[in-house]
Amino acid sequence: MRLVGKTLSEVTSEDIYGLITNEIMESRILDYKKELTNDNKELLADITSFANTDGGVIVYGIAEKQDERNNTGLPGEIIGLQDFNLDATRQRIENMLRDNVDPRIARVDVEPIEINGKTVLLLGIPRSLFGPHMSKRDSKFYARNDAGKFSMDAHQIRQAMLQSVDWENEADNFRRTQVMGYLSGKIKYLADKEHAVFLHIVPLGRKGHIVDVKKHAHKLSEAFKPYYYRSWNDTYNLDGYLVWPGNVGDSYSQFFRNGSLEVATSILFRNSRDPHQPILNPDFDGFVLFELT
């Protein structure tokens, strides 16, 4: 999970002050809490609500601003957590997720930040691909909107269960479309069809999300270039951004505007001595992949 564009381990005290100064309001992916509750039922509801929606971060140790004694959703004073023990907190959360969530949530990120002797805790909950998750403490499924968490009704639970199946089908359809396009001759960057190998990476649950490929062009060209060639070509196309080596017909990398990635090569299992006996090519160094934000 990320906060202010950073992984939680990279967030600093200045970033926390920035939340307050810039009045970053609570949302479906951000929540402020004055203290870490001892009520496991409430904590489970908070964690599962994020996992069942878009993921997000809970910031503990910051009091919300109030308007006529009502919380405004805006961060106020840094209170800090009293008698905070990181190991005990991590153990408590791990035990809760193991024993009281169905299906189990694999992990959450727990990152403390010391600010002038006060401890602020960041709890990062990734969006789950295996939800919806039920809290066994009250047998409820929780989700979030901009106003906070809520208990899902039967229709919302049914939709959430169908969602993960839709994600899997979308990824499979993408893979099939690309491979069929190659077999039909629409993709010209691999000459040796017999030894072609494809790697597809598809970001699930991001349908309609568009990545600005021009913004990341430099990183993409460096990360996707085949390291077993000294020269390569790159261009923008209708799909997004394409990188291929100087020797056309051996490999290419296509980054799609929806965040998907296709890496293809025909030399991974090439045997120069006997083309009918494919072996792992020892000269293939592979590619370097990275995360776009």
Side-chain angles (χ1 to χ4, degrees), residues 127-170:
R127 180 181 187 178
S128 177
L129 301 179
F130 307 102
H133 300 272
M134 181 187 73
S135 169
K136 293 182 180 180
R137 282 301 182 95
D138 55 11
S139 299
K140 291 184 179 181
F141 295 84
Y142 292 92
R144 287 186 62 82
N145 55 29
D146 287 339
K149 65 178 178 291
F150 61 90
S151 177
M152 289 191 279
D153 59 27
H155 174 72
Q156 291 166 328
I157 295 172
R158 188 180 303 112
Q159 291 298 111
M161 290 180 174
L162 293 174
Q163 182 173 251
S164 59
V165 177
D166 291 339
W167 290 344
E168 183 178 347
N169 290 337
E170 288 174 12

Side-chain angles (χ1 to χ4, degrees), residues 1 7 11 13 18-19 25 32 48 87 90 107 131 136 146 154 160 177 186 198 201 205 209 215 233 245 272 276 284:
M1 287 307 305
T7 62
V11 175
S13 58
L19 294 174
M25 182 174 285
Y32 300 108
T48 55
D87 291 337
R90 282 177 171 162
R107 68 173 183 85
K136 293 182 180 180
D146 287 339
T177 299
K186 293 181 180 180
F198 288 83
I201 300 176
H209 181 85
K215 175 182 176 182
N233 306 300
S272 58
H276 299 292
F284 185 86

Side-chain angles (χ1 to χ4, degrees), residues 104-138:
R104 182 179 174 183
I105 295 174
R107 68 173 183 85
V108 298
D109 298 325
V110 182
E111 292 289 343
I113 300 178
E114 295 299 321
I115 305 177
N116 294 330
K118 300 177 181 179
T119 300
V120 170
L121 180 67
L122 306 180
L123 188 62
I125 305 100
R127 180 181 187 178
S128 177
L129 301 179
F130 307 102
H133 300 272
M134 181 187 73
S135 169
K136 293 182 180 180
R137 282 301 182 95
D138 55 11

